[in-house]
Structures are given as C-alpha cells and as structure tokens.
Amino acid sequence: MLLLLFLYDPLYASSHDLESDYPWSGLKDENSPTPDLFKSMNNSTETNSGPAKCQSAPGVFLENVSFAYSGGEEIFRSLNFTVESGQWTCIIGPSGCGKSTLLRLISGTLREGFSGEIRFSDGISHNGLTSWMAQKDLLLPWLTVLDNVCLGTRLRGEISSEKRKKAISLIEDAGLVAYLNSLPSVLSGGMRQRVALMRTLMEDRSVILMDEPFSALDALTRLKLQDLAADMVKGATVLMVTHDPLEALRLGHSIYVMTGRPAQLSKPLIPPGLPPRKPGDPAIVSLQAELIDRLEGGGET
C-alpha cells in the first residue's frame, strides 16, 4: 500500500526515513530547526499544536555549481548564487532554462552530473530541511482534506493527536475547516491548492522550494492564494520559480532572471516594500515592464 502511495503521489516519496532520489520534503531529521511558519490569517492566537520556533531559517549558498544530465548539454557551469535567509526569493525565466533543475539540486536529489558545493548557513545537511510545493496539488483522492494535510506525518509514523490538532489549525487558517472531512473531488482548484500549501507547511521545514505553485489557477484565485502563502511562510527561506513577472514582483524580496545555456542568473531586482505587494501599485507596474525587458534581453540589467 505504501509503495502505491509513492507511485501516485511523489510529493511524499521521501517522507519516510530512507534516502530518496525524489525532490520532495520529508527526510526525518530530529536536529533540524523549525521556523515560525504558521501565522494565522485572522490574527488568532497560536495553539499548542503550532510548530517549535527557531531564531531564523538558514540561507542557501551555491558555490561553483555545475550540472549536466547524462548525455545532455551542460545546464549550469560554475554558478554562484545565494538564497537569503528568511526571505522569499523568486527566479523567473523561459521554459527549459533550468529553474526546476536548480530546485532539485538544492533539495539534494540530483547527484549524478553535479559538481560544486551547496550548503546551508547553519551548517546542517539539506536532509530534513527542505519541503517542496509543485504546480499540481497531487492530493490523494481517497483521503480527506485532513488526512491529505497529515500525509507526510502518517507515512513517517509520526501521527499523533497533537499533529492532528496542528493540521486542523492550519486548515482553519486556510479557511477550509468546513471541508475538513471532505474528499478532494468536491473542492475547487483553488481550494485544492490551499490544501497542498497546508500539506507543505505541515512538514515544518526551514527551506521551502516552490515550482510554479499557483500557475494553474485563475487570476483572482491566484492573487488570494499568493496573499495566503506570503502570510503563512513568514520567517522561512523560500525559493520559488515562476513564469509570471507580476507574481514574482508581488511575492519576492528579490527576483533573479535565469537565461542562457549554460544558465546564468541576473543581478537581483529588489522591489520596494514588503510582500505581498498590491498588483496595482504604480511602482510594481513599472517594474513589471523592466522585468519583461530583462527577460527579453537575456537577463541583462
């Protein structure tokens, strides 16, 4: 039964205590710090089921990173890049330029063809530190909303009344408590993606890797879920890849353009103010044009 779960839903393929070749959250590490990720959307007080707090999430440092798939062309060559501690960093670029590959390298699941160094600022291995949110929600259709949020905990044999209380608190924060015992088939696309976000946050990881998590949603739902995510991951180190300049400008403390082969990253674009920014802000509208110019110009400033 467990094998079938892994085949259907690779998001939790590494949720047990085995070394995994998949880029998803969950290698158990009792020494890993836990960030203060779970801020309530309605300013309610935190419950006892909330996560333990750490002073800061780690930064991620890539030094002289090179990578090529077996028999393929070089994706990265001597790439140097820093994901700042406790901030939301966005990477935008054309399809196939290496954005998702970079996430997998940081998660530690791409090894063959890799050289260089990827390290976390606290000196702890990537194992147990990263979680992953994908474009598709990958909810298991036979599990309720609550059980989907608790899936990683269940697979690792860590389920308890306290864990379930924490999951329920997250679901309440997402505005889905009325669907606690519902199956995914009755949920809209935006609701399903909210469940996927809560499942990611339930993993209590210090570094969150996001691969176009909101791209399949309609415009209004996407804006609402961006607001929810920005509120709930405060204090974590987030790296998100996206094709949407406005999304990057709304959510990113810093934004990098990835182009070329081997891929390179531009100098960061730093939007004013704190995320989530209003999409109609004149400064954001102006920067959107600049960001598009960078994309068309190969990332040059």
Side-chain angles (χ1 to χ4, degrees):
M1 182 63 178
L2 193 58
L3 177 61
L4 292 176
L5 287 176
F6 292 162
L7 291 175
Y8 182 88
D9 187 356
L11 178 65
Y12 287 93
S14 61
S15 291
H16 51 101
D17 298 331
L18 296 175
E19 188 69 16
S20 172
D21 287 330
Y22 294 90
W24 296 285
S25 65
L27 286 174
K28 184 177 179 182
D29 187 344
E30 295 179 353
N31 294 320
S32 295
T34 303
D36 180 14
L37 298 180
F38 305 97
K39 300 287 188 179
S40 172
M41 287 295 290
N42 58 7
N43 295 322
S44 62
T45 57
E46 294 182 2
T47 67
N48 290 334
S49 61
K53 297 180 181 179
C54 70
Q55 291 184 342
S56 64
V60 184
F61 301 91
L62 286 73
E63 299 174 353
N64 294 316
V65 167
S66 297
F67 177 78
Y69 288 102
S70 178
E73 62 181 323
E74 198 172 26
I75 308 298
F76 301 115
R77 181 190 300 160
S78 302
L79 179 68
N80 294 295
F81 177 53
T82 298
V83 184
E84 296 294 339
S85 167
Q87 294 192 5
W88 193 312
T89 301
C90 293
I91 296 178
I92 188 168
S95 298
C97 67
K99 302 184 301 297
S100 297
T101 298
L102 185 65
L103 293 184
R104 295 191 65 194
L105 288 172
I106 292 173
S107 73
T109 60
L110 277 181
R111 298 176 178 85
E112 185 178 355
F114 164 77
S115 65
E117 183 179 12
I118 299 176
R119 58 184 176 85
F120 292 84
S121 57
D122 53 16
I124 297 177
S125 164
H126 57 75
N127 289 348
L129 277 186
T130 61
S131 62
W132 183 288
M133 185 174 175
Q135 179 178 350
K136 296 181 179 179
D137 59 72
L138 298 173
L139 302 182
L140 296 181
W142 58 86
L143 294 183
T144 66
V145 166
L146 177 59
D147 287 337
N148 267 290
V149 171
C150 292
L151 182 59
T153 303
R154 291 179 61 192
L155 293 180
R156 291 189 298 273
E158 299 171 353
I159 194 66
S160 66
S161 60
E162 287 302 307
K163 294 285 188 180
R164 291 179 72 85
K165 287 179 182 177
K166 181 167 67 176
I168 291 170
S169 177
L170 284 170
I171 294 167
E172 288 176 344
D173 290 344
L176 293 173
V177 69
Y179 297 90
L180 197 68
N181 297 310
S182 299
L183 295 176
S185 59
V186 306
L187 305 180
S188 68
M191 294 163 71
R192 292 172 64 99
Q193 203 67 359
R194 273 185 276 169
V195 176
L197 175 62
M198 299 309 107
R199 180 183 57 191
T200 300
L201 298 182
M202 185 68 183
E203 291 298 295
D204 281 7
R205 304 307 179 196
S206 302
V207 178
I208 301 175
L209 307 174
M210 293 186 168
D211 193 357
E212 300 184 64
F214 313 124
S215 61
L217 304 174
D218 65 84
L220 183 57
T221 302
R222 186 184 307 134
L223 291 173
K224 291 179 178 179
L225 195 52
Q226 288 168 358
D227 289 342
L228 176 67
D231 184 79
M232 299 194 75
V233 304
K234 287 178 181 175
T237 299
V238 179
L239 178 60
M240 182 179 76
V241 301
T242 178
H243 289 102
D244 185 350
L246 179 58
E247 180 170 80
L249 288 165
R250 291 201 74 220
L251 296 175
H253 291 91
S254 57
I255 303 164
Y256 295 81
V257 176
M258 179 180 286
T259 55
R261 182 73 81 217
Q264 294 294 324
L265 290 165
S266 69
K267 294 180 180 179
L269 177 66
I270 312 295
L274 296 176
R277 303 175 185 90
K278 294 186 180 299
D281 186 326
I284 298 304
V285 174
S286 175
L287 285 175
Q288 187 173 6
E290 179 181 338
L291 192 53
I292 292 173
D293 286 342
R294 289 197 185 193
L295 282 167
E296 293 177 341
E300 297 297 328
T301 56

